Amino acid sequence: MAELTLPDGVRLHVEAHGPADAPVTVVLLHGWCQDRRTWQHQVAAMRVLGVRRPRVITYDTRGHGRSGATRLAGATLAQLGDDLAEVLRRYAPTGPIVLGGHSLGGMTIMEYAAAHPTTFADRVAGLLFVSTTAEGHTHTQYGLPSRLAALMRAGETVGAGLLARSGPWCPHRALLPALRPAVRWLLFGDECDNEALELAMRAFGRAPLRSVGGFRASIGTQQRLETLAALADVPAAVLVGSRDRLTPPACARSIAGALPFADLSVLPGAGHMLPLERPQEVSAALTGIVERVTPARRRVKRRAATQLKKAA
């Protein structure tokens, strides 16, 4: 565990797993009002890859989890993209990188690509987009008819503006039992493991009101399909649940359409929290990307060493 102090003074809680000299570094970014523990199953899955085991970096986004609170001016996707650049400079300064993002995390990756295109092109070897969008709330219907969805979006937008100005407090933590059915309906699909729901609820309870409301504006207006189209040659996997009420399959299809080397998977009956809800499928997709982009230099070195021993 470590702390990274960003240029504006916000402290990020960062965790690194795996060997420092791994052939690839994987950086996993969590969703809105969640934290790094969203990826716990995928971190565990990377440990069993043997020689191909990557170094894995997870961190709590500013204003989430164990990271410091953000000022309202810093509660934007553009700022999160710059934060990711700082994390990479400190914890993955060299070598190929695989970036994986869930929901807000996927949008953060797109902002990083837009703001740091040269570094992105030089370093990023693979992408994993899980339950995310490149088109703001264009496709978000909350699983409701269009008119009801429009009313809900309007109410959510107004409410988010009020919450954004409520400061770094978490009074909703006391309301978690009452909010549990709504969170269950919004974030999960047909089946929901109780442990996964509890983890999502605890993360939501730790998110300050400023974070709950502050990021909503830039999330709703982001448009990054053109940014993705410029990444055409990067291997990618795109996953979405068929019951995702926040980033429905149309979001994933548009992302995959912009990335010709992307593999699209729509998981029947699943909701928005795929890393927790369908951990095996998400871990398999991440493993596939890691294995695809891992340099073969370790095998080459071993063969060279064997040949030298024989020659001696």
Side-chain angles (χ1 to χ4, degrees):
M1 298 182 187
E3 278 194 351
L4 170 63
T5 301
L6 298 168
D8 65 352
V10 174
R11 294 173 294 99
L12 293 188
H13 179 84
V14 183
E15 294 186 356
H17 312 264
D21 64 344
V24 170
T25 299
V26 174
V27 182
L28 300 174
L29 298 94
H30 65 77
W32 187 21
C33 300
Q34 294 299 301
D35 61 35
R36 71 199 181 284
R37 295 173 297 174
T38 296
W39 295 103
Q40 60 184 9
H41 299 294
Q42 289 68 50
V43 172
M46 294 298 98
R47 296 192 184 112
V48 301
L49 293 184
V51 172
R52 290 178 176 266
R53 180 184 180 184
R55 185 165 178 80
V56 181
I57 307 296
T58 59
Y59 67 94
D60 292 336
T61 294
R62 62 169 57 220
H64 292 74
R66 296 176 65 180
S67 289
T70 182
R71 299 179 181 87
L72 184 55
T76 67
L77 287 172
Q79 181 62 65
L80 296 188
D82 288 340
D83 292 353
L84 173 57
E86 291 296 321
V87 170
L88 296 178
R89 287 190 194 103
R90 174 71 67 86
Y91 297 98
T94 61
I97 300 165
V98 171
L99 297 177
H102 170 248
S103 194
L104 177 73
M107 303 177 86
T108 299
I109 293 170
M110 298 173 206
E111 289 301 306
Y112 170 65
H116 305 270
T118 301
T119 306
F120 191 101
D122 290 343
R123 301 287 314 284
V124 177
L127 294 166
L128 174 69
F129 288 121
V130 181
S131 308
T132 190
T133 180
E135 301 175 274
H137 59 219
T138 300
H139 301 292
T140 303
Q141 296 291 321
Y142 312 101
L144 301 172
S146 297
R147 287 187 178 182
L148 287 178
L151 288 173
M152 184 169 177
R153 184 181 301 118
E156 179 198 357
T157 302
V158 172
L162 296 174
L163 292 177
R165 291 165 175 78
S166 299
W169 319 112
C170 304
H172 54 294
R173 187 177 300 174
L175 302 176
L176 289 183
L179 294 173
R180 181 186 175 98
V183 173
R184 161 68 178 89
W185 173 80
L186 189 62
L187 296 186
F188 291 86
D190 294 343
E191 297 181 3
C192 177
D193 178 77
N194 186 63
E195 183 178 345
L197 177 58
E198 288 302 320
L199 185 61
M201 293 295 297
R202 289 197 300 272
F204 173 60
R206 293 187 68 166
L209 293 181
R210 181 178 294 156
S211 298
V212 175
F215 288 99
R216 179 64 181 84
S218 62
I219 289 173
T221 58
Q222 187 190 43
Q223 296 292 322
R224 288 298 179 198
L225 286 181
E226 289 187 7
T227 298
L228 292 177
L231 314 177
D233 60 343
V234 180
V238 183
L239 287 82
V240 67
S242 68
R243 301 287 191 185
D244 192 328
R245 295 180 174 90
L246 292 178
T247 55
C251 298
R253 292 190 182 101
S254 66
I255 292 173
L259 295 169
F261 289 94
D263 295 324
L264 172 63
S265 299
V266 180
L267 306 185
H272 187 67
M273 295 297 295
L274 291 185
L276 295 174
E277 193 176 357
R278 297 290 180 86
Q280 293 181 337
E281 289 93 330
V282 175
S283 296
L286 178 58
T287 298
I289 292 293
V290 169
E291 291 182 336
R292 187 172 173 183
V293 306
T294 298
R297 65 176 182 267
R298 288 193 171 188
R299 294 196 302 274
V300 172
K301 286 181 179 179
R302 284 201 301 271
R303 286 200 300 269
T306 301
Q307 291 171 356
L308 285 173
K309 286 181 180 179
K310 290 180 178 178

